[in-house]
Amino acid sequence: MTKSKLLLAAMVACLLAPVAALADNLPDLGGKKVVVVTENAYPPLQFIDKKTGKQIGWEYDAMDEIAKRLNFKVEYQNTSWDAMIQAVSDNQYNIGMTGITIKDDRKEKVDFSDPYMRSEQFMLVRGDESRFTDAKSFGAFKDGLIGAQPGTTPFYTAVYSVLDGNEQNPRIKLFETFGATVQALKTGDVDVVLTDGTAGQGYVDASEGKLKLIGGPLGTEDFGFIFPKGSDLVKPVNAAIAALKADGTFDKLNKKWFLDYKMGQ
């Protein structure tokens, strides 16, 4: 599959939405401080630029633009994925962003924004992998190991779409961060990592041929920002998301981060 086809398959970022009000009709939050937490382990959505040490990515650009349109000041903080949803639920942060899939069980703890991006799961493997080519052949490859973060969409996709539905299956090796799963893949400690095409393509581009994506999409997921339950930020952020979709801003960010940006260059 070519990179262009993969990007089209893996990322339909501009979802259909009602045309929003113009930016000057958006709510004005009066310059209030909003603390936004992320993991910085999900290129090209959010990550650390190795050359500059700065936090960059699609989600940073999108959140900065939302803050500008709504007139609030962003303070970015970092935490691990496994702590993020609970921390936002406990009001330690005002917003969480790290390519978080909108799921009903998560809605019991946090509120979600409207979707800002749609993506699909793919299999990330080493560049010289030839023992399997898709989910079916990997499932039959009994010695193959999957690296995943517990409680994530890739974890559940691995359990129910690749393996046997047993969440305790010893073929799944658990890691604290997505970056750690990719490192384990590179060193041969696991044989595949499931990831949406956006993050996976970012790692492939930076790997100099050491990683590749194989097989077809394993499932579709919508990403949303998360908030403490009952947050008064949900409605204005949703209005800003709709405005950014309607005026082409998200289209520009898609081009910048998924087509033009080259990881590691």
Side-chain angles (χ1 to χ4, degrees):
M1 182 179 293
T2 65
K3 179 178 177 181
S4 60
K5 287 182 179 179
L6 176 60
L7 287 168
L8 287 173
M11 183 272 299
V12 182
C14 196
L15 303 174
L16 294 177
V19 175
L22 295 176
D24 59 357
N25 290 328
L26 290 173
D28 186 332
L29 301 188
K32 67 183 291 184
K33 183 178 77 171
V34 174
V35 181
V36 178
V37 67
T38 189
E39 188 183 14
N40 280 336
Y42 208 165
L45 297 187
Q46 22 68 26
F47 60 104
I48 301 295
D49 188 321
K50 292 182 178 179
K51 290 184 178 180
T52 66
K54 293 182 178 180
Q55 304 177 127
I56 60 173
W58 193 101
E59 286 182 332
Y60 279 111
D61 284 358
M63 186 58 65
D64 286 345
E65 186 62 26
I66 289 170
K68 178 181 176 182
R69 303 273 183 112
L70 297 178
N71 187 25
F72 66 79
K73 297 179 180 178
V74 183
E75 177 184 314
Y76 290 111
Q77 295 190 21
N78 303 115
T79 193
S80 63
W81 159 252
D82 59 356
M84 186 177 298
I85 292 179
Q86 188 62 53
V88 172
S89 177
D90 292 340
N91 279 287
Q92 294 180 35
Y93 310 103
N94 302 120
I95 300 176
M97 64 176 200
T98 184
I100 304 171
T101 303
I102 299 173
K103 297 180 65 175
D104 287 341
D105 60 336
R106 292 172 181 169
K107 290 180 181 178
E108 296 176 3
K109 286 191 172 184
V110 293
D111 286 339
F112 276 92
S113 70
D114 292 335
Y116 59 84
M117 184 176 293
R118 177 167 289 169
S119 190
E120 292 176 318
Q121 295 288 308
F122 285 83
M123 300 175 71
L124 181 67
V125 300
R126 290 182 292 278
D128 60 357
E129 182 59 71
S130 60
R131 298 168 297 176
F132 53 89
T133 58
D134 56 17
K136 183 177 180 180
S137 57
F138 178 82
F141 176 55
K142 299 302 183 182
D143 293 330
L145 300 177
I146 301 177
Q149 293 170 270
T152 62
T153 297
F155 171 81
Y156 292 113
T157 301
V159 170
Y160 296 102
S161 297
V162 180
L163 299 177
D164 58 3
N166 175 14
E167 294 185 14
Q168 306 302 317
N169 193 310
R171 292 182 63 186
I172 301 178
K173 301 299 181 183
L174 300 179
F175 297 86
E176 186 172 329
T177 68
F178 179 71
T181 68
V182 176
Q183 185 59 35
L185 174 64
K186 291 178 178 178
T187 59
D189 293 327
V190 299
D191 301 294
V192 65
V193 169
L194 300 187
T195 175
D196 76 276
T198 57
Q201 192 61 54
Y203 278 99
V204 169
D205 289 346
S207 73
E208 298 181 342
K210 295 179 181 178
L211 298 173
K212 64 182 179 181
L213 293 167
I214 63 171
L218 297 174
T220 300
E221 57 185 359
D222 289 336
F223 294 159
F225 303 119
I226 60 172
F227 309 78
K229 296 291 287 185
S231 171
D232 59 6
L233 290 172
V234 177
K235 186 173 181 179
V237 168
N238 281 343
I241 288 172
L244 294 173
K245 290 177 182 177
D247 69 11
T249 299
F250 279 1
D251 289 335
K252 293 177 181 177
L253 293 184
N254 295 338
K255 182 178 184 298
K256 174 182 177 180
W257 289 107
F258 297 115
L259 296 176
D260 296 340
Y261 185 80
K262 306 300 181 185
M263 290 290 297
Q265 298 182 16

